[in-house]
Amino acid sequence: MNRVEEWEAELADVQTLTPDIVGRILSAHDDRGRQAIEAVSERRVKEYRDFVVVVGFEDEYIVEEGCTCRDSEYNLDPDDPTDLCWHVLAAKIARRIDAMDHHDMWYSDVREFL
């Protein structure tokens, strides 16, 4: 089990961000972990019928297996399953503590208006 799977499992079990889990996330992911926790606390992780979207600083990013952000595209090691952008981290955290902002609509329809 890698370090991401470890904190994910613990988070799924307790379903809340405890100081210990926050410390483990920050230790494993540093600034990306901090940004992810902030996004979750600010309810910037949105679940639509078709996608999970994380509202970033400059745009909204679709998170599925990976993310549509530049960090994922250019800076992360695709062979390292623990090297994740903060948008993916935020989606993982929000999913396990039931902190997603649910929208009963298709993001593909909403995106047309943005």
Side-chain angles (χ1 to χ4, degrees):
M1 185 178 285
N2 67 43
R3 61 188 180 173
V4 173
E5 292 168 335
E6 288 172 359
W7 64 252
E8 280 183 294
E10 187 175 345
L11 195 56
D13 187 42
V14 298
Q15 299 180 350
T16 188
L17 278 170
T18 65
D20 180 56
I21 295 172
V22 168
R24 291 172 56 193
I25 291 170
L26 295 177
S27 174
H29 304 288
D30 198 34
D31 191 48
R32 288 182 180 126
R34 182 191 55 76
Q35 289 175 299
I37 291 167
E38 286 176 4
V40 171
S41 69
E42 294 170 359
R43 307 231 7 124
R44 290 190 282 133
V45 182
K46 304 184 179 303
E47 184 176 44
Y48 293 88
R49 290 180 183 170
D50 48 355
F51 297 113
V52 171
V53 175
V54 177
V55 178
F57 302 113
E58 297 176 11
D59 203 354
E60 293 186 347
Y61 301 97
I62 296 172
V63 176
E64 290 184 289
E65 292 297 315
C67 181
T68 58
C69 74
R70 289 186 201 150
D71 193 26
S72 287
E73 187 174 352
Y74 297 113
N75 300 327
L76 304 179
D77 180 355
D79 297 324
D80 182 355
T82 66
D83 199 13
L84 304 168
C85 72
W86 70 264
H87 310 104
V88 169
L89 293 171
K92 287 179 174 291
I93 294 166
R95 180 171 287 115
R96 277 150 189 85
I97 64 171
D98 195 26
M100 288 194 183
D101 186 12
H102 300 279
H103 296 272
D104 189 20
M105 60 185 76
W106 301 98
Y107 182 71
S108 53
D109 291 339
V110 173
R111 186 68 180 164
E112 293 174 14
F113 299 108
L114 299 178

